[in-house]
Amino acid sequence: MSRISKTDSRLREHQDAVAHDLYANRVKVYPKTVRGPMRRIKWAVLIACLAVYYVLPWVRWYRGPNQPGQAVLLDISTERFYFFNLELWPQDIWLLAGLLILGAVLLFLVTSLVGRVWCGYTCPQTVWTDLFMWIEKEIEGDRNERMARDAAPLTADTIWKKTLKHGIWLAIAFWTGGAWIMYYTDAPTVAVDFWTGSAATPVYFFTGLFTLTTYLLAGWAREQVCTYMCPWPRFQSAMLDDQSFTVTYQAWRGEPRARGKRVEGGPQRGDCVDCGMCVAACPTGIDIRDGIQLECINCGLCMDACDHVMARTGQAKGLITWDTLARQAAKKAGKKEPIRILRPRTMIYLTAMTAAVIVMSTALMMRSTLGLSVQRDRAPLFVMLADGSLRNGYTVKISNKTQTNAPYDLSITGLPGAKMVVAEGDPKPQTVLRVLGSSDGVETLRVLVTARPAELSNGAQPVDFILRDTATGAQTVYHSTFMGPAGYAGGR
Amino acid sequence: MPTKIEKDSVSGRDTTGHEWDGIKELDTPLPKWWIYTFYSSIAVAFVLFLLYPSIPYGPGYWHGLLGYSPRKAVDAEVAKLQAERKVSMDKIATLSFDQIKADPALLEVALTKGKITFEENCQACHGAGGSGHPGFPALAAGSWLWGGKLTDIQRTVTHGIRSGDPAAHTSAMPPFGELGLLKPEQIQQVADFVWSKFYGHVTEGQDVSAGAALFAQNCAPCHGADGQGNRLVGAPRLNSRIHLYGDAREIIVSQVTKPRMGVMPNWNARLDPATIKCVTLYVHSLGGGE
Ligand code: SF4
Ligand code: SF4
């Protein structure tokens, strides 16, 4: 059975010719412009994504004097991530890991429900390629015009149009690369510094790098990124099953495909008129009628293309439509198959997602702006003083994750009569140490604790360091130990 | 070797002939630009070979057209670092201890430098963190022989003890037993007194009055009537829970009979004054500082 139709023969001839070569020139894809609901959704998603990407770094957010005024900022030099009124420190990096896990599971869930819509609608590769293709179409014309132009000898008009196209592509690519940098430094400042030549070298380097990658990937590589480079198409099959909705050609209805009028009593013909519009519209240059394929990004543009044909030939729409393999098989057999959204696979993804959301939002809400960590000296483990009392040294780190200086009290429990001094600080022993935690900073103190515990039968005793913000009453505890010689009993 | 190249019925194309668990693959050629990228990375490798130190030959190696040398790069980095550090070390050399302590950033530099210097030079005798060893005072506990103020420590570190330096701390305890200044039974009496009165090991009903009298006469001039020691002559404090040569009665006897007396090098022979200031601050910060 050969189902190779004439319309997509260009690609096939090429493939046959090179079938035994290891390398071949890429067959350039000239997608035809389509109109329809899928195309409209794609435009809406594209505009939303690009608007967020380009505008977000310019959104201002007041955090106080001498604080960055940018709503979203990943400040590498001070190791802070700002997201509106959230400020994350490096030790909160697991939240980012959690967010990535959440994103991955969400992607799995969506894929098992509706296939690769990420690829077809929201992937940056798709979004920028779509934008670049639109510019190409506006300048060079639609599919047929572009094919004719590329096949014809070079004219002044072609040179001018191509130059204009690449110029605009480069301008957009530059804007894209520049916007990327703005997530890492203050946007208005870097925008000025860039042109006055006073920005840091990495700013120029990364702007250049992302300009180049955007231009190459969206302008030249296009569907090859999806076909040859991206890992997602490779493992998407692990998420799909016969209940997943994907863009599907309804072969039971379309075959046998044939051109010409459908006449009563004539030869038996399916609904597909073999016009090839679906192939012409496809941005990856494939034939959806071959079934679900690695190259298909599930964009649905072939649906829009075919629906027009169906309308013109007076047949029902939806010859290419969102459908599941199970429902297709049922329809072929003349049966009905219910839509099954809740199935073990989706339930597992949903459970994993809910768990991740609960864990992360609880952690985020309980995240303290007050940090205490205490490290006991290893050498010496303890020091006995002339009067027989014991002293232990601790390195205490106090982090203040707020924007105001905070007065803290550091005290110790579990060790009656314990006195503290800060090494090379005030030599007068205290039961409570006053520490001023400067805003958005870490204080490191070496605290020497002297005590005379009544007994230390095994040479150690648990103690708790308590840090209290005297302004807000917030407090945090760190468990540590106090050590001495085994069998110590008050130093006689 | 692929053996079963077939024609795929759907696409009409050949398969690679390989099969994995029933899955076959279409023989799809790679795009040409892919292989060109591969070739150009090989070309780039050769360019890098030319530009940078690469191929060894006989006695030497190809130095590269750019003249880059990782050794020189390290030397430059080190020189840069030393220039940066010199700023702080110059300040430490000229400022007083109080001025250094008033500048937290400078104090941190001094303490870090002091810690490293201590670990390299002092730790072998005085123990990690100044925890002390028998015969070597526990600096962290503040059992000073010659004083625990910053200036005291600085002087001791600079000139040493019995080191031969003209400004070194020097003193000697008479070998009471060896010279016959005290008879063996008198030494035992003194030891009984010191052991119970100052070391705190009291034996019920023991009469130490003879030892007390001998102590007042022979030892108190240096060690003090209450065994509090005397830093002017480096006489250790006796009324303490920690002892230079250990908490044992035999040690008292042997010290009175023929004392051991420690020697500490004069570090001005090895360390510059700024570094000595740093190590002084570090020793002071260990907890025993006064
Ligand atoms: S086959 Fe259809 S859904 Fe798939 S990539 Fe092509 S146009 Fe998009
Ligand atoms: S657009 Fe529709 S009718 Fe035309 S070839 Fe494709 S499936 Fe057949």
Side-chain angles (χ1 to χ4, degrees), chain A residues 247 282-284 286 288 296-302:
Chain A
V247 175
C282 177
T284 71
I286 57 163
I288 187 66
C296 175
I297 57 170
N298 229 29
C299 65
L301 292 181
C302 51

Side-chain angles (χ1 to χ4, degrees), chain B residues 95-174:
Chain B
L95 295 182
S96 74
F97 283 119
D98 283 340
Q99 286 169 316
I100 297 172
K101 282 171 80 167
D103 180 347
L106 194 62
L107 180 63
E108 200 184 319
V109 173
L111 289 176
T112 309
K113 170 81 177 166
K115 180 172 196 285
I116 295 164
T117 314
F118 184 88
E119 283 165 359
E120 284 172 356
N121 299 286
C122 320
Q123 187 161 304
C125 293
H126 287 288
S131 52
H133 283 308
F136 304 96
L139 308 173
S143 57
W144 307 106
L145 297 176
W146 298 92
K149 289 205 268 299
L150 281 164
T151 44
D152 297 334
I153 300 171
Q154 185 186 24
R155 170 162 180 219
T156 308
V157 174
T158 309
H159 301 292
I161 299 165
R162 303 179 190 97
S163 61
D165 182 287
H169 292 301
T170 313
S171 68
M173 170 167 164

Side-chain angles (χ1 to χ4, degrees), chain A residues 74-262:
Chain A
L74 185 71
D75 194 336
I76 291 176
S77 58
T78 63
E79 301 176 345
R80 296 283 181 277
F81 175 62
Y82 301 96
F83 189 81
F84 295 91
N85 58 6
L86 186 68
E87 178 189 334
L88 297 183
W89 287 34
Q91 50 267 54
D92 303 320
I93 193 78
W94 63 273
L95 275 170
L96 183 67
L99 209 62
L100 289 178
I101 294 171
L102 196 65
V105 182
L106 180 68
L107 204 55
F108 296 168
L109 177 66
V110 169
T111 305
S112 73
L113 288 176
V114 284
R116 288 169 62 188
V117 285
W118 160 262
C119 300
Y121 294 83
T122 40
C123 176
Q125 176 61 25
T126 290
V127 167
W128 266 279
T129 301
D130 226 9
L131 178 68
F132 277 37
M133 281 177 175
W134 175 75
I135 292 161
E136 185 169 63
K137 182 212 81 180
E138 288 298 308
I139 295 173
E140 289 191 40
D142 207 357
R143 170 181 163 91
N144 294 343
E145 217 179 310
R146 292 203 302 275
M147 288 172 80
R149 186 188 295 281
D150 283 357
L154 217 56
T155 64
D157 181 61
T158 303
I159 293 175
W160 150 244
K161 289 211 156 130
K162 296 240 178 220
T163 314
L164 180 67
K165 175 184 82 176
H166 287 287
I168 295 178
W169 279 0
L170 276 168
I172 292 177
F174 170 71
W175 191 19
T176 308
W180 179 266
I181 290 301
M182 290 172 185
Y183 284 90
Y184 296 85
T185 81
D186 188 55
T189 317
V190 79
V192 173
D193 287 355
F194 190 92
W195 294 111
T196 55
S198 51
T201 320
V203 169
Y204 293 105
F205 174 77
F206 282 106
T207 308
L209 182 70
F210 293 123
T211 303
L212 189 70
T213 49
T214 309
Y215 171 72
L216 288 180
L217 295 185
W220 293 85
R222 296 189 173 175
E223 82 288 347
Q224 301 179 91
V225 173
C226 317
T227 318
Y228 301 116
M229 302 181 195
C230 179
W232 184 234
R234 267 90 203 152
F235 59 78
Q236 60 146 342
S237 48
M239 280 128 235
L240 292 174
D241 58 25
D242 60 358
Q243 302 290 346
S244 309
F245 273 83
T246 55
V247 175
T248 331
Y249 167 68
Q250 311 273 314
W252 60 274
R253 185 187 139 185
E255 299 299 322
R257 63 187 75 162
R259 300 186 161 210
K261 272 210 156 11
R262 269 74 182 136

Side-chain angles (χ1 to χ4, degrees), chain B residues 6 11 21 109 130 161 197 210 213 241 264 282:
Chain B
E6 314 162 40
S11 64
D21 290 345
V109 173
I161 299 165
K197 171 89 176 163
R241 291 291 164 268
M264 171 165 162
Y282 174 71

